[in-house]
Amino acid sequence: MNFLKFADANSSFNDAKFVIFGVPFDLTSSFRSGSRFAPNRIREASYNFETYLMEHDVDLVDIPVYDAGNLDEYGNVEEMIKNVEEKIKNFLPKFPIIVGGEHSLTIGAVKALKDVSIVFIDAHLDFRDEYLGIKNSHACVSRRVSEIAGIENVFSIGVRSFSKEEKNDSEKLGLEYFSSFDVKEKGMESIIKNLNLKKKVYLSLDIDGIDPAFAPGVGNPEPFGLSPIDVLKCISILSDRLVGFDITEICPPYDNGNTSLLGARIIRDLIGCVSSKK
Ligand code: MN
Ligand code: MN
């Protein structure tokens, strides 16, 4: 397979501790589609940065990362989710870094990892039971994941948008979430440190959790969001128990380039941060 790899992903598959793969899928996108282009845009953007990460004192050239390329462009969301699940099962316990594409891919990742706590960063609660007739829509991710992992193991941070029905359902079923206003008031450190994380953690970053001023190229932009530094703090505090990560909903057709750059930089930070703790 000949393609542009994520920068410094120079390891062989066998030696790799981290495996990156892209999921160019956006068929359930409801407002702006185009996140299927993000995996390759993020790879291109990754070459902008130094290999040395000053904040973690690690050099990414020393960390074994393998870029497995992109999954096929599937014609329906169930097929995409199944292939994400199988792909990850094939290389566990290596650390998966999944680059979307739309947020629904997280369902496949959690099916593969199973026994994890899940921390979402997202502007949206994504707790609909179905959306436009689709059970596995990007708008239903936290609902589906809570059915797999148990709702007591699902946490959502940065939320500032949901329907009345999602609010009622989340209260009834007991989904714990923190708004972007909570993060502003209490600080990311205190929120993460007080989460009741019973298991290893899978972190799912829907980039629209970050404010559209920093991340304009997204499918469903929502003002009053988190700062990129909030996300780094979250990664840093969780890093010694992280077992997987995804970054979704970057939408290059609506981007000025900064959102793909931010995504690439967050992936690089996560690799450095997780490595420096292990
Ligand atoms: Mn979202
Ligand atoms: Mn989402």
Side-chain angles (χ1 to χ4, degrees):
M1 201 168 27
N2 207 355
F3 65 99
L4 182 73
K5 290 188 167 91
F6 194 81
D8 309 306
N10 297 322
S11 170
S12 68
F13 175 76
N14 283 342
D15 292 339
K17 291 211 173 75
F18 297 86
V19 175
I20 297 175
F21 68 95
V23 183
F25 182 92
D26 60 10
L27 285 180
T28 83
S29 294
S30 45
F31 184 53
R32 298 164 160 182
S33 66
S35 65
R36 67 185 178 280
F37 299 112
N40 290 348
R41 290 293 91 73
I42 291 168
R43 287 188 178 95
E44 288 166 17
S46 67
Y47 286 85
N48 178 57
F49 303 107
E50 293 284 357
T51 65
Y52 177 71
L53 297 171
M54 54 163 256
E55 64 274 38
H56 307 302
D57 188 24
V58 295
D59 200 310
L60 291 175
V61 297
D62 300 326
I63 300 171
V65 180
Y66 178 75
D67 186 339
N70 293 339
L71 294 189
D72 291 337
E73 299 190 23
Y74 302 106
N76 68 70
V77 67
E78 282 73 30
E79 200 184 351
M80 181 276 286
I81 288 169
K82 187 167 126 291
N83 279 278
V84 168
E85 178 186 358
E86 283 171 5
K87 178 88 178 166
I88 295 171
K89 280 181 173 168
N90 283 338
F91 66 71
L92 285 175
K94 298 179 191 292
F95 188 110
I97 296 176
I98 311 150
V99 184
E102 62 171 56
H103 203 175
S104 43
L105 65 83
T106 308
I107 301 167
V110 173
K111 282 184 168 175
L113 289 160
K114 280 194 186 79
D115 198 28
V116 284
S117 296
I118 297 100
V119 175
F120 286 105
I121 292 179
D122 200 326
H124 309 93
L125 205 51
D126 288 352
F127 202 64
R128 286 179 156 91
D129 192 35
E130 63 168 56
Y131 190 59
L132 305 176
I134 303 171
K135 280 270 193 186
N136 288 313
S137 165
H138 69 106
C140 309
V141 178
S142 65
R143 186 71 167 254
R144 293 291 87 78
V145 160
S146 72
E147 292 162 358
I148 302 162
I151 199 153
E152 68 281 8
N153 296 310
V154 178
F155 306 90
S156 197
I157 299 171
V159 176
R160 53 202 185 274
S161 172
F162 42 70
S163 66
K164 183 81 183 187
E165 193 187 350
E166 285 177 286
K167 177 180 158 62
N168 292 341
D169 285 359
S170 65
E171 283 169 3
K172 192 170 70 192
L173 297 171
L175 177 69
E176 193 170 359
Y177 65 87
F178 300 86
S179 71
S180 55
F181 307 100
D182 292 330
V183 174
K184 185 83 183 159
E185 192 180 308
K186 298 174 189 158
M188 187 62 94
E189 290 93 336
S190 122
I191 286 174
I192 300 281
K193 282 179 177 158
N194 287 306
L195 294 180
N196 187 13
L197 299 168
K198 300 189 189 85
K199 304 176 178 189
K200 297 286 190 186
V201 176
Y202 181 86
L203 177 62
S204 176
L205 171 59
D206 178 331
I207 200 82
D208 68 31
I210 298 173
D211 194 272
F214 300 108
V218 302
N220 296 87
E222 189 67 43
F224 316 125
L226 304 179
S227 79
I229 302 270
D230 290 325
V231 174
L232 295 193
K233 283 180 188 162
C234 174
I235 291 169
S236 171
I237 300 163
L238 291 176
S239 57
D240 58 353
R241 53 196 304 165
L242 281 182
V243 290
F245 172 69
D246 67 54
I247 180 163
T248 65
E249 299 290 343
I250 290 175
C251 189
Y254 294 88
D255 195 15
N256 58 10
N258 287 353
T259 318
S260 288
L261 279 166
L262 178 61
R265 186 65 178 80
I266 289 172
I267 293 168
R268 293 172 76 75
D269 182 86
L270 179 127
I271 293 168
C273 192
V274 170
S275 301
S276 69
K277 299 281 172 63
K278 280 183 173 159

